[in-house]
Structure formats: structure tokens, C-alpha cells
Amino acid sequence: MMHFDFQVGDLEAAVAEAVERGATPVPDPLHPHVRTLLDPAGHPFCLCYDGERMPVA
């Protein structure tokens, strides 16, 4: 099975957009800069923060 990793500049916004489009987040991320999701067909993909540091909230 193919697995895609997408680099994004705003991790939480990218996750929110993916969820709006039908993705389901997988709990317990393996890394603080990566979020794994499942597309509507159940295939996993990752969104990866592409900056040097996570933004401070």
C-alpha cells in the first residue's frame, strides 16, 4: 500500500482542512511535528510540519 507524507506550513490548519474534506485523525501522534490521518477509504497519510520549529501558542 502506498503512503503519502505531505509537508505543510501550518500543521493544525492542515489537519482541520483534511478533516473538513473527510479525513479521520489517528490518535496518539508518533511525533509532535507529524499527524497521521485516514482518508475516507481508510488509507493512511501524514501531514508533516515543514518549519524548523513549531509555532509557540
Side-chain angles (χ1 to χ4, degrees):
M1 175 183 296
M2 190 175 292
H3 174 96
F4 288 102
D5 291 337
F6 298 96
Q7 292 185 324
V8 299
D10 184 332
L11 187 57
E12 297 311 318
V15 169
E17 183 175 348
V19 169
E20 286 177 10
R21 295 172 182 259
T24 303
V26 175
D28 299 322
L30 299 175
H31 191 278
H33 297 163
V34 177
R35 298 294 183 273
T36 303
L37 298 99
L38 301 175
D39 70 14
H43 304 112
F45 66 96
C46 289
L47 298 174
C48 309
Y49 179 66
D50 67 0
E52 292 181 20
R53 295 177 35 195
M54 289 291 286
V56 176

